[in-house]
């Protein structure tokens, strides 16, 4: 089982996507926007010491807070 297979099965099991949605994303030539730590690292995202999430999540959190206001 590849990382992508694991991510797909977990995304479906946790209700993030349906298999139909995933098939549409992949058919459109896109990647599912869920990745392993290894993939995030290959994209250039970093995790600083004593941090438990990539800086991307902090940026996303700030973006989401701005939407709420």
């Amino acid at each position: 089982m590849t990382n992508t297979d694991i991510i797909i099965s977990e995304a479906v099991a946790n209700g993030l996507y349906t298999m139909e949605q995933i098939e549409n994303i992949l058919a459109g030539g896109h990647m599912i926007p869920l990745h392993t730590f290894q993939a995030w690292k290959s994209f250039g995202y970093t995790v600083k010491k004593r941090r438990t999430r990539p800086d991307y999540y902090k940026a996303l959190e700030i973006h989401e807070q701005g939407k709420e206001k």
Side-chain angles (χ1 to χ4, degrees), residues 42-61:
S42 73
F43 298 147
Y45 295 104
T46 60
V47 177
K48 295 179 182 177
K49 282 188 173 185
R50 298 186 177 93
R51 300 269 317 258
T52 58
R53 57 188 183 178
D55 292 335
Y56 167 81
Y57 290 116
K58 185 65 176 173
L60 182 62
E61 190 176 281

Side-chain angles (χ1 to χ4, degrees), residues 14-58:
N14 288 294
L16 298 173
Y17 293 99
T18 64
M19 274 309 289
E20 183 180 346
Q21 290 171 321
I22 289 173
E23 289 168 0
N24 289 337
I25 291 168
L26 297 176
H30 301 286
M31 292 175 46
I32 299 166
L34 302 170
H35 305 287
T36 61
F37 174 79
Q38 198 172 39
W40 283 115
K41 189 175 179 183
S42 73
F43 298 147
Y45 295 104
T46 60
V47 177
K48 295 179 182 177
K49 282 188 173 185
R50 298 186 177 93
R51 300 269 317 258
T52 58
R53 57 188 183 178
D55 292 335
Y56 167 81
Y57 290 116
K58 185 65 176 173

Side-chain angles (χ1 to χ4, degrees), residues 1-10 36 38:
M1 200 176 228
T2 66
N3 282 343
T4 302
D5 294 335
I6 294 168
I7 289 170
I8 289 171
S9 66
E10 287 299 313
T36 61
Q38 198 172 39

